[in-house]
Amino acid sequence: MVERKRIVEDLRKILGRESVEDDELTIKLYSRDAAYIEGSALAVVFPKSTDEVSALLSYAYRRDLKIYPQGSTSELVGSSTPSDDGVILSLSRMNRIKEYSVVDMYAIAEPGVRLVELNEVLAEVGYMFPIDPASVKSATVGGAINSGAGGMMGLRYGTMKDAVLGLEVVLPDEKGTVLRLGGRTTKYRAGYDLIRLIVGSEGTLAVVTEATLKIVPIPENIVSIAAFFPSLDDLVNAVVELKRRGINLYIAEFLDSQTVDAAKVMKPRIQGEGNLLIISVDIAREAADRMLLMLEEIMKENNASAVFKASSMKEAEEMGIFDMRRGFYPASIKIAAERRRDVERRSIFFIEDISVPPSRLAECVKRIRDLAEKHNVNITLGGHIGDGNLHPNVWFEEGDEEGKRRALEFLDELMKLAIELDGTISSEHGIGTTKKEFLLMEMERKEGLKALEIMKEIKRAFDPKGILNPGKLW
Amino acid sequence: MVERKRIVEDLRKILGRESVEDDELTIKLYSRDAAYIEGSALAVVFPKSTDEVSALLSYAYRRDLKIYPQGSTSELVGSSTPSDDGVILSLSRMNRIKEYSVVDMYAIAEPGVRLVELNEVLAEVGYMFPIDPASVKSATVGGAINSGAGGMMGLRYGTMKDAVLGLEVVLPDEKGTVLRLGGRTTKYRAGYDLIRLIVGSEGTLAVVTEATLKIVPIPENIVSIAAFFPSLDDLVNAVVELKRRGINLYIAEFLDSQTVDAAKVMKPRIQGEGNLLIISVDIAREAADRMLLMLEEIMKENNASAVFKASSMKEAEEMGIFDMRRGFYPASIKIAAERRRDVERRSIFFIEDISVPPSRLAECVKRIRDLAEKHNVNITLGGHIGDGNLHPNVWFEEGDEEGKRRALEFLDELMKLAIELDGTISSEHGIGTTKKEFLLMEMERKEGLKALEIMKEIKRAFDPKGILNPGKLW
């Protein structure tokens, strides 16, 4: 207790009184993530500059103090959860968009800038930052970098790993060394790529204090089609045919039929029976009709029933083509609430995040449904079919130990299934604390254990005392 | 000598007699790269499988034997040059395309597969692997990975760092550990990204024995325009206007006016006076005319004289729109030959590879020309204006020590200029041996020296004895 008081006083000397909070409520607020994984901490600090972060890390190094960097804590795997003997480092007050250039196609932002804010500014000049996690409204630049975020447009633009040109980071060493990596150009060679090592490192290597991000022009026109398929095989066959014809898909999303039924509680504007496929293609206005006809033909050849077409993004939004896909999470929550046995209890969700090669998707979805039946758990199921990224959601009621056990057994088999089908246990959500065992399992099965040893040595090279976000990844 | 004999005998026992060559001619052939940087070696080995590579590295580890992995040695910075106490590991006999899938959008290839071969196979199904270094006809998958290659389409598709989904590598440790990293899906999270650490590592971390590469559909249609501008400012202003209008450029290349003059020795089919800009945009056939009109308008508004338009790639090839850009290197060599004072002597080229943000390009080119004048060196100058990647070529006659000194002084100032203009000393060619000092300079000037220390620790984690391609990078 005395120790804690001294640390808080030291932090106030370093960062100023207004940048250090140690009241219980603030700490509680910053100690849990979007999956309700909770921790505690000695204090929350809000530095306003790189120099302050540097002073903080230098102090932490000398005092062996654990530091937990944080964006908006919208992550889902416990990667931002602190421990009670550590300090939460919120980057929320470093939130300036420093500059951007459409000619040079980059934007420079501090870590606390929310992706949605960045895109509002860029939209004015016809550009965007194309990484769009579902949490895009709250997710920050720093958080997205550290969690290696992806999204619906991952099929075209990849993930954060493909989108960071340069970084300024602070190292957890004696001096709190400030390191500038990369630059402002796409092509950049300077020895080993430390930038992409930090992207996706879940705050365990260095604290990002500035990022130079690759930006792209907003496509001139995007056509979209939504179609409902009686069977998953039909839906996957339609996707196979799209790829076979070399159509350069912009977005390709799906929900399985049981999830489509469930999503109806959200009153989506387009409705149909069966498995939902949504396809967007960026194409010039003059060719919109041709493309839509071709897409429609492919859908119908593969037994689609209801088909909805939009020749522009504006029209797609007016028709509500994305309603069901966007309503995926809210619908899951609503269904969970409706099926709840005890209304006093909230539902605890696992929002899962496996990938399999898209050609294995029909098999994967069927086997996931079988697993859900076997373990008697409720699930909803959809995701990014273009890149094979599935988000099965499973839940149980708080306090229902039997339900929790069943959910965990389901997850265990789900992960094994992903690995069996040449896929992966984590695609864009990360490892954090909840997937440490699954990462180990995947590494074991893929002749990758030595990789974990190398990663631990890399961790030591950046963070010799292990004070930065400890307890994550392994 | 006895030592050498024993090593060669051991290697023959491990790999078979037919996979080990130790005659002088073979060694000489494999000991120099495309920039004529030469070394020597004890032997050249040609393993045919991952197991053989593993056995070789295990032997090398136990014997402290240096190993120099090699693709087609088309690199330009000495990164594949061996030392006389080491063994050249040629991956040329591991050259199978193992599988590919247009549905899952990947191709799996051994390191010795040439990029051009891969693209021939993929073209049959309407797909391509989009990383296209100038050496694409000889460059191999393994070489391109290790040198982090880029190319003309880097503006759209990035470099090798953006194109590798999975790797099988062999580590230079006691067992010759085989490590499988990543997978077959774009989205992949498994702790730190070791794949992108190995891409661009110039053969210093691990030997790549298999790669899973991201493939993309060949665009349906591509329009192109070539225009000649009286001044560089005009040319850059045209590019600025293209970006400002949000046109999603596919290719954007340029040659400066003196290089355009020089390139005429190659008898290009399109000709004009001034600085050459070539723009390609992928757009549906129906919109080709509209796009070409817009491009033409922007060129003319910025004082372009001769303008050449092609509404498809086929037409562009028939017209010879890319002749001058492709003839850039051959033209440089021809000019060098013509200006040679001693016909017996060959010309030694430095094919340089800096980047600056495209908005700084006009300034950069002018200052490069001033530097060339100051140091009295011949240069040609062009590159990828879309991503700011410039390739100034400078040469001197073999044996002309004075000319060499002037070329080196020019290069030294060129690198300082790149750094001053927020650019980088290497974009897609790497560091090898020729740019070690410049890398150090760049790191020093950008607060990045600590990064070098971290890189060295990473090197130790992969290669504790330092036997893999030693002497490169630093």
Side-chain angles (χ1 to χ4, degrees):
Chain A
M1 217 48 206
V2 177
E3 174 72 359
R4 175 179 173 174
K5 264 196 176 161
R6 242 191 58 198
I7 288 172
V8 170
E9 264 169 46
D10 285 348
L11 292 172
R12 288 196 166 127
K13 271 181 216 148
I14 296 167
L15 302 172
R17 191 151 290 277
E18 75 290 356
S19 300
V20 182
E21 302 289 345
D22 68 339
D23 63 291
E24 235 175 87
L25 189 67
T26 307
I27 289 174
K28 206 176 155 74
L29 201 63
Y30 282 82
S31 292
R32 74 176 187 190
D33 69 6
Y36 296 103
I37 299 159
E38 289 182 44
S40 183
L42 298 172
V44 191
V45 298
F46 302 89
K48 292 179 293 300
S49 69
T50 302
D51 284 349
E52 286 186 2
V53 173
S54 171
L56 172 71
L57 292 198
S58 171
Y59 170 77
Y61 179 89
R62 285 178 279 116
R63 287 296 304 257
D64 290 307
L65 184 65
K66 295 172 185 165
I67 298 289
Y68 295 90
Q70 246 182 30
S72 65
T73 66
S74 56
E75 52 79 17
L76 295 158
V77 293
S79 57
S80 65
T81 312
S83 63
D84 53 16
D85 56 349
V87 168
I88 296 166
L89 164 54
S90 169
L91 279 310
S92 56
R93 290 190 197 161
M94 291 181 70
N95 59 356
R96 288 178 306 154
I97 297 172
K98 289 187 166 179
E99 63 170 289
Y100 65 89
S101 163
V102 301
V103 178
D104 299 332
M105 293 173 78
Y106 67 74
I108 301 182
E110 289 184 329
V113 171
R114 287 179 299 129
L115 296 182
V116 70
E117 290 169 338
L118 178 61
N119 274 321
E120 278 164 15
V121 169
L122 295 174
E124 286 172 27
V125 291
Y127 278 68
M128 64 178 176
F129 179 67
I131 312 301
D132 61 339
S135 58
V136 67
K137 282 183 189 161
S138 60
T140 62
V141 166
I145 288 171
N146 273 296
S147 30
M152 283 226 275
M153 293 191 286
L155 176 57
R156 174 64 55 84
Y157 300 105
T159 68
M160 288 302 290
K161 290 185 186 179
D162 304 292
V164 182
L165 301 175
L167 286 178
E168 179 191 80
V169 299
V170 181
L171 297 175
D173 62 12
E174 189 161 6
K175 292 181 193 162
T177 301
V178 178
L179 202 57
R180 296 194 69 93
L181 301 166
R184 300 177 179 201
T185 54
T186 311
K187 291 178 180 167
Y188 199 95
R189 296 289 308 285
Y192 306 149
D193 190 343
L194 301 187
I195 291 178
R196 275 140 154 145
L197 204 53
I198 290 168
V199 177
S201 67
E202 304 189 13
T204 63
L205 294 181
V207 176
V208 172
T209 47
E210 186 190 289
T212 305
L213 305 170
K214 203 193 271 193
I215 64 174
V216 296
I218 296 172
E220 172 191 298
N221 191 49
I222 296 170
V223 302
S224 300
I225 191 163
F228 292 86
F229 293 85
S231 82
L232 271 168
D233 284 325
D234 287 327
L235 182 149
V236 171
N237 286 340
V239 174
V240 168
E241 182 58 19
L242 293 167
K243 298 265 184 96
R244 206 189 57 73
R245 294 212 201 171
I247 297 171
N248 196 13
L249 305 180
Y250 194 74
I251 287 172
E253 298 288 308
F254 91 105
L255 296 181
D256 86 344
S257 60
Q258 288 172 264
T259 307
V260 164
D261 282 343
K264 287 177 182 163
V265 300
M266 301 300 290
K267 307 198 190 313
R269 284 168 290 173
I270 63 159
Q271 301 234 352
E273 299 304 319
N275 304 278
L276 171 63
L277 175 65
I278 306 172
I279 296 292
S280 297
V281 177
D282 55 325
I283 192 156
R285 286 185 301 275
E286 295 92 330
D289 288 343
R290 168 171 63 89
M291 180 55 71
L292 279 173
L293 268 176
M294 199 202 301
L295 295 175
E296 185 176 21
E297 188 187 291
I298 294 170
M299 303 296 138
K300 289 193 169 161
E301 276 169 9
N302 287 286
N303 307 318
S305 55
V307 174
F308 302 86
K309 295 183 291 179
S311 60
S312 70
M313 206 37 117
K314 186 164 170 281
E315 201 181 324
E317 294 295 353
E318 282 164 8
M319 289 170 63
I321 278 192
F322 297 98
D323 278 8
M324 268 203 197
R325 177 63 183 86
R326 287 200 192 121
F328 179 33
Y329 297 117
S332 307
I333 291 163
K334 202 160 176 190
I335 297 156
E338 284 176 6
R339 296 187 189 165
R340 199 152 50 174
R341 284 174 303 179
D342 182 343
V343 289
E344 295 293 300
R345 288 179 179 169
R346 63 178 179 180
S347 303
I348 307 290
F349 273 81
F350 292 107
I351 297 177
E352 268 314 322
D353 175 44
I354 62 170
S355 277
V356 294
S359 61
R360 313 295 296 267
L361 201 116
E363 180 186 357
C364 186
V365 168
K366 276 176 222 157
R367 288 179 62 183
I368 292 173
R369 283 286 170 198
D370 289 347
L371 286 178
E373 200 163 315
K374 174 180 163 191
H375 293 287
N376 188 23
V377 291
N378 284 305
I379 65 166
T380 51
L381 185 49
H384 315 294
I385 192 174
D387 53 28
N389 184 191
L390 288 177
H391 293 305
N393 299 338
V394 59
W395 62 89
F396 61 91
E397 280 171 55
E398 194 173 22
D400 173 9
E401 288 305 315
E402 164 64 12
K404 183 177 178 178
R405 190 187 53 73
R406 280 187 276 111
L408 290 174
E409 282 170 4
F410 165 78
L411 287 182
D412 189 66
E413 291 211 61
L414 177 69
M415 298 303 152
K416 285 176 187 152
L417 176 64
I419 297 168
E420 185 194 326
L421 297 178
D422 286 327
T424 177
I425 58 133
S426 180
S427 308
E428 51 185 18
H429 293 178
I431 306 299
T433 54
T434 64
K435 287 197 161 173
K436 286 154 71 163
E437 278 172 52
F438 296 132
L439 175 63
L440 197 63
M441 182 169 84
E442 178 168 336
M443 291 297 208
E444 263 173 1
R445 292 185 182 210
K446 288 187 175 170
E447 305 181 59
L449 275 185
K450 176 84 188 210
L452 275 181
E453 282 175 43
I454 292 175
M455 287 180 204
K456 286 177 190 173
E457 289 193 51
I458 291 172
K459 166 74 173 171
R460 275 191 290 276
F462 279 87
D463 179 15
K465 284 194 167 180
I467 56 173
L468 210 55
N469 209 14
K472 312 302 158 64
L473 292 177
W474 43 69
Chain B
M1 217 48 208
V2 177
E3 175 71 0
R4 176 179 173 175
K5 265 195 174 160
R6 244 190 59 199
I7 289 172
V8 170
E9 265 168 43
D10 286 348
L11 292 172
R12 289 197 165 126
K13 273 182 213 144
I14 297 167
L15 301 173
R17 191 151 290 277
E18 75 290 357
S19 300
V20 181
E21 302 291 346
D22 68 339
D23 62 289
E24 234 174 88
L25 190 67
T26 307
I27 289 173
K28 204 174 155 74
L29 202 63
Y30 282 82
S31 290
R32 73 176 187 190
D33 69 5
Y36 296 102
I37 297 158
E38 289 181 45
S40 183
L42 298 172
V44 191
V45 299
F46 302 89
K48 292 178 292 302
S49 69
T50 302
D51 284 349
E52 287 186 2
V53 173
S54 171
L56 172 70
L57 291 198
S58 171
Y59 171 77
Y61 179 88
R62 285 178 280 115
R63 286 294 305 258
D64 291 307
L65 184 64
K66 295 172 186 165
I67 298 289
Y68 295 89
Q70 246 183 29
S72 65
T73 66
S74 54
E75 52 79 16
L76 295 159
V77 292
S79 57
S80 65
T81 312
S83 63
D84 54 15
D85 56 348
V87 169
I88 296 167
L89 164 53
S90 168
L91 280 312
S92 56
R93 291 190 196 161
M94 292 182 69
N95 58 357
R96 288 177 307 154
I97 297 172
K98 289 187 166 177
E99 64 170 289
Y100 64 89
S101 163
V102 301
V103 179
D104 299 332
M105 293 172 77
Y106 67 74
I108 301 182
E110 289 185 331
V113 171
R114 287 180 299 130
L115 296 181
V116 70
E117 290 169 338
L118 179 61
N119 274 321
E120 277 164 16
V121 170
L122 295 173
E124 285 172 27
V125 291
Y127 278 68
M128 64 177 176
F129 179 66
I131 311 301
D132 61 340
S135 57
V136 67
K137 282 184 187 159
S138 59
T140 62
V141 166
I145 288 171
N146 273 296
S147 30
M152 282 225 278
M153 294 191 286
L155 176 58
R156 174 64 55 84
Y157 300 106
T159 69
M160 288 303 291
K161 291 186 185 177
D162 304 291
V164 182
L165 301 174
L167 286 179
E168 179 191 81
V169 299
V170 181
L171 296 176
D173 61 12
E174 189 160 7
K175 292 180 192 161
T177 301
V178 178
L179 202 58
R180 296 194 70 91
L181 302 166
R184 299 176 180 203
T185 54
T186 311
K187 291 178 180 168
Y188 200 95
R189 296 290 309 284
Y192 305 148
D193 191 342
L194 300 188
I195 291 177
R196 275 141 155 145
L197 204 53
I198 290 168
V199 177
S201 67
E202 304 189 13
T204 63
L205 295 181
V207 176
V208 172
T209 49
E210 185 191 287
T212 305
L213 304 170
K214 203 193 271 191
I215 64 174
V216 296
I218 296 172
E220 172 192 297
N221 192 49
I222 295 170
V223 302
S224 299
I225 191 163
F228 292 86
F229 293 85
S231 82
L232 272 168
D233 284 325
D234 287 327
L235 183 150
V236 171
N237 285 340
V239 174
V240 168
E241 182 58 20
L242 293 166
K243 298 266 185 92
R244 206 190 57 73
R245 293 212 201 170
I247 297 172
N248 196 13
L249 304 180
Y250 193 73
I251 287 172
E253 299 287 310
F254 91 106
L255 296 181
D256 85 344
S257 59
Q258 287 172 263
T259 307
V260 163
D261 281 342
K264 287 177 184 164
V265 299
M266 302 299 289
K267 306 200 191 311
R269 284 168 289 172
I270 64 159
Q271 301 234 353
E273 299 304 319
N275 304 277
L276 171 64
L277 176 65
I278 307 172
I279 296 292
S280 296
V281 177
D282 55 325
I283 192 156
R285 286 184 302 275
E286 295 92 328
D289 288 342
R290 168 171 61 89
M291 180 54 70
L292 278 174
L293 269 175
M294 199 203 299
L295 296 175
E296 185 176 18
E297 188 186 291
I298 293 170
M299 302 298 136
K300 289 192 170 163
E301 276 170 8
N302 287 286
N303 308 318
S305 55
V307 174
F308 302 87
K309 296 184 290 178
S311 59
S312 70
M313 205 38 117
K314 187 164 169 281
E315 201 181 325
E317 294 295 353
E318 284 165 6
M319 289 171 61
I321 277 193
F322 297 99
D323 278 7
M324 268 203 198
R325 177 63 183 87
R326 288 198 192 121
F328 179 33
Y329 297 117
S332 308
I333 291 164
K334 204 161 174 191
I335 297 156
E338 284 177 5
R339 297 189 187 164
R340 202 153 47 176
R341 284 174 303 178
D342 182 343
V343 290
E344 296 292 301
R345 288 181 180 170
R346 63 179 179 179
S347 304
I348 307 289
F349 273 81
F350 292 108
I351 298 178
E352 269 314 322
D353 175 44
I354 62 169
S355 276
V356 295
S359 61
R360 313 294 297 267
L361 201 114
E363 180 186 358
C364 187
V365 168
K366 276 176 226 159
R367 289 179 61 183
I368 292 173
R369 284 285 170 198
D370 289 347
L371 287 177
E373 200 163 316
K374 173 178 165 192
H375 294 287
N376 188 23
V377 292
N378 284 306
I379 65 167
T380 52
L381 185 49
H384 316 294
I385 192 173
D387 53 29
N389 184 191
L390 288 178
H391 294 305
N393 299 337
V394 60
W395 62 87
F396 60 92
E397 279 170 57
E398 195 173 22
D400 173 8
E401 288 307 315
E402 164 64 13
K404 183 176 178 179
R405 190 188 51 75
R406 279 187 276 114
L408 290 174
E409 282 170 4
F410 165 78
L411 287 181
D412 189 68
E413 290 210 60
L414 177 69
M415 298 304 152
K416 284 176 188 153
L417 175 64
I419 297 168
E420 185 195 325
L421 297 178
D422 285 328
T424 175
I425 58 132
S426 180
S427 309
E428 51 185 19
H429 293 178
I431 306 299
T433 54
T434 64
K435 286 196 162 175
K436 286 155 72 164
E437 278 172 52
F438 297 132
L439 175 63
L440 196 64
M441 182 170 85
E442 178 168 336
M443 291 299 207
E444 263 173 1
R445 292 186 181 209
K446 287 188 176 169
E447 303 181 60
L449 275 185
K450 176 85 188 207
L452 275 181
E453 281 175 43
I454 292 175
M455 287 180 203
K456 286 176 188 172
E457 289 194 50
I458 291 172
K459 167 74 174 173
R460 274 192 290 276
F462 279 87
D463 180 15
K465 284 194 168 181
I467 57 173
L468 211 54
N469 209 14
K472 313 302 159 62
L473 291 176
W474 44 68

